[in-house]
Amino acid sequence: MKIKNLFGQKKVTISCEIFPPKKDTAFSGIFETVDAIQSLGVDFISVTYGAGGSTSKKTVEVASYIQERHHLPALAHLTCCDSTKEDIRQRLAEMKERGIENILALRGDKPKEYVPGPYTYAIDLIRDIKSQGDFCIGGACYPDGHVECEHKEDDIAFLKEKVEAGCDFLTTQMFFDNNVYYNFLYRVLAVGIQVPVIPGIMPVINARQVKRSAELSGTSLPPRFKAIADKFSDDPLAMEQAGIAYATEQIIDLVANGVKYIHLYTMNRPQTAAKIMENLSHILR
Ligand code: FAD
């Protein structure tokens, strides 16, 4: 099923993100993760794509498992900045063959030794996906602005072009202050972007890791978040509890303000997703 057709079917559409393990030996564990996440009643699961092709085949394999075993839509991520046209053609053919209809089309982070190829931006990939099949296409967006873009207005203008090239929905980078998301929604609506903008919520379990990746990605961290991270980051159980409470509060505020889709960056931790879903059981019903 195409993800764009899921929106509006339920009060709130919930999705979770997982990543395929890098090592083949850890591969069987990912299926248990999928089983546990689907048992929470989520509406679709997205599967990340390793840059440089590190887990690229596995993305399709895990996405197929989600669909074939659980009859749940899978969203297969696909990056392009270090791919050839032939790589992408093959990957799309593979997805078609496995019945994968939903793709999150991404540029990917440029590798250290980046050699410019046929794909400079995600928009180039979106155009190719459009021309090679009837896929439902998602794109990434950045409420705090993408780290490489100096001016937020330019970022939004490029986002508009990307959506017009064929995005059916957008998923945001993690954010920890809902006002940043609401502000972003005003700005995208102002330029006429009408597709759903799914907020990406990261339950913080490892505060140091998240602080580092927030710094790298330019995600702002509100004082309330910093206070929690500073107080609990040395106590993993307390940090997990606080991270789950923080994510739960963010989601309650989003739903109370009319947001109809939530994406959880569950990072292969079904137990975290389960606690959040339990906290929201009446709210999502
Ligand atoms: P683009 O949309 O191409 O944008 C990249 C930059 O280029 C932005 O600064 C934009 O403003 C600028 N830009 C766009 N068009 C133009 C133009 N015409 N001229 C000049 N500048 C332009 N990475 C992975 O490797 N694997 C994953 O599975 C993965 N999943 C992700 C899921 C989500 C929801 C998000 C938000 C990110 C994900 N990423 C993933 C990270 C992503 O690949 C990086 O953030 C990457 O740096 C940008 O990808 P993009 O598709 O947003 O790029």
Side-chain angles (χ1 to χ4, degrees):
M1 186 178 191
K2 293 203 167 70
I3 285 168
K4 64 180 176 187
N5 298 328
L6 286 176
F7 301 134
Q9 281 195 8
K10 279 168 72 177
K11 199 161 127 190
V12 184
T13 302
I14 300 281
S15 52
C16 282
E17 182 164 306
I18 59 170
F19 56 88
K22 283 201 175 114
K23 290 200 175 102
D24 283 338
T25 44
F27 206 61
S28 64
I30 193 69
F31 297 130
E32 285 165 25
T33 302
V34 167
D35 298 348
I37 287 178
Q38 83 77 37
S39 74
L40 303 174
V42 301
D43 300 290
F44 68 91
I45 299 177
S46 78
V47 188
T48 66
Y49 190 87
S54 57
T55 61
S56 53
K57 271 197 183 312
K58 290 173 185 161
T59 299
V60 175
E61 211 171 316
V62 176
S64 303
Y65 176 82
I66 293 166
Q67 299 202 152
E68 284 162 22
R69 177 83 175 82
H70 296 297
H71 308 290
L72 194 67
L75 173 62
H77 295 201
L78 182 63
T79 67
C80 62
C81 67
D82 52 0
S83 297
T84 63
K85 290 268 176 183
E86 181 52 23
D87 293 335
I88 296 298
R89 197 196 60 72
Q90 275 182 20
R91 205 58 78 222
L92 294 177
E94 214 173 285
M95 289 193 197
K96 266 191 245 175
E97 205 182 299
R98 309 286 292 258
I100 292 163
E101 298 176 281
N102 304 292
I103 302 177
L104 191 70
L106 300 148
R107 186 199 68 183
D109 285 323
K110 289 180 192 162
K112 271 191 196 125
E113 278 130 49
Y114 173 66
V115 182
Y119 297 100
T120 311
Y121 300 110
I123 192 171
D124 307 320
L125 175 64
I126 290 164
R127 290 189 177 122
D128 273 9
I129 297 173
K130 270 273 185 233
S131 71
Q132 290 181 45
D134 178 24
F135 292 101
C136 170
I137 305 172
C141 63
Y142 305 84
D144 279 297
H146 185 262
V147 67
E148 287 170 33
C149 203
E150 236 174 271
H151 301 291
K152 282 187 180 170
E153 296 86 64
D154 294 341
D155 208 26
I156 297 267
F158 294 135
L159 186 63
K160 184 172 159 63
E161 283 175 15
K162 184 158 90 168
V163 170
E164 283 171 352
C167 283
D168 296 299
F169 64 92
L170 296 168
T171 305
T172 75
Q173 168 83 290
M174 62 180 175
F175 58 88
F176 299 100
D177 176 352
N178 286 0
N179 287 328
V180 169
Y181 170 76
Y182 298 138
N183 192 285
F184 180 67
L185 285 187
Y186 279 122
R187 285 183 288 124
V188 298
L189 278 172
V191 298
I193 294 174
Q194 303 267 351
V195 295
V197 180
I198 306 176
I201 301 297
M202 166 82 82
V204 175
I205 306 302
N206 183 333
R208 285 201 185 90
Q209 207 174 49
V210 168
K211 267 181 152 176
R212 229 179 3 257
S213 81
E215 268 160 31
L216 289 174
S217 65
T219 302
S220 57
L221 296 176
R224 202 168 76 84
F225 175 92
K226 282 188 188 154
I228 291 171
D230 288 347
K231 181 82 184 166
F232 303 119
S233 56
D234 288 332
D235 181 343
L237 290 179
M239 190 60 236
E240 180 176 3
Q241 206 163 42
I244 288 169
Y246 195 98
T248 303
E249 268 188 41
Q250 271 195 284
I251 296 169
I252 292 172
D253 178 71
L254 290 165
V255 174
N257 281 289
V259 174
K260 294 189 167 60
Y261 4 76
I262 302 287
H263 185 64
L264 284 173
Y265 288 111
T266 36
M267 315 297 281
N268 294 10
R269 290 179 65 91
Q271 62 277 35
T272 305
K275 285 184 185 153
I276 291 175
M277 294 298 273
E278 197 187 320
N279 289 346
L280 299 169
S281 56
H282 293 289
I283 287 160
L284 300 178
R285 198 175 49 195

